[in-house]
Amino acid sequence: IEDGAPYHGRKDVKALKKETEDRKRLFVYRLPSCSPDKNPIEKLWKNTKRDATHLRYFPTSDDLRSAVISAFKKYLGDATKIICVMKKLRTQAGIV
């Protein structure tokens, strides 16, 4: 899934996509511009910000990094946090 990031248009990325599409091993789906609601990772980042960084002061970038890593470890330890995000997306898309 491409979200419009500049690196999706790089020469080497285009070549890889062409090679894998020709072999029917990869299908590229491009998200519409400005559609974070359709990109699951955006929901996870929103939750990470809420749980780890929102309205908090971090004296150093290492402190910020530690807070984000701690949130990720919680997600890894409790898959329901990820499943919840995916379930909401499926419901919104009508895939229930």
Side-chain angles (χ1 to χ4, degrees):
I1 295 177
E2 292 184 349
D3 61 359
Y7 52 79
H8 293 299
R10 286 184 14 191
K11 190 176 184 179
D12 57 338
V13 174
K14 285 182 179 179
L16 176 66
K17 287 190 291 189
K18 172 116 177 74
E19 177 186 328
T20 54
E21 285 174 349
D22 289 347
R23 294 183 189 169
K24 307 221 183 300
R25 295 184 66 196
L26 176 71
F27 174 76
V28 178
Y29 177 77
R30 183 156 179 105
L31 292 174
S33 297
C34 301
S35 59
D37 55 315
K38 294 185 180 179
N39 190 347
I41 195 65
E42 297 297 337
K43 301 281 187 195
L44 191 59
W45 278 119
K46 180 181 178 181
N47 291 349
T48 302
K49 185 166 53 170
R50 180 197 65 217
D51 297 343
T53 66
H54 187 68
L55 296 176
R56 292 185 178 95
Y57 170 72
F58 298 97
T60 68
S61 60
D62 284 339
D63 294 329
L64 171 62
R65 183 176 184 274
S66 293
V68 171
I69 289 172
S70 177
F72 287 166
K73 285 181 180 177
K74 285 180 187 174
Y75 299 153
L76 288 172
D78 183 4
T80 61
K81 292 187 180 291
I82 306 265
I83 292 167
C84 179
V85 169
M86 295 304 132
K87 200 178 273 189
K88 284 180 186 174
L89 287 171
R90 289 173 60 99
T91 302
Q92 290 171 355
I95 305 175
V96 181

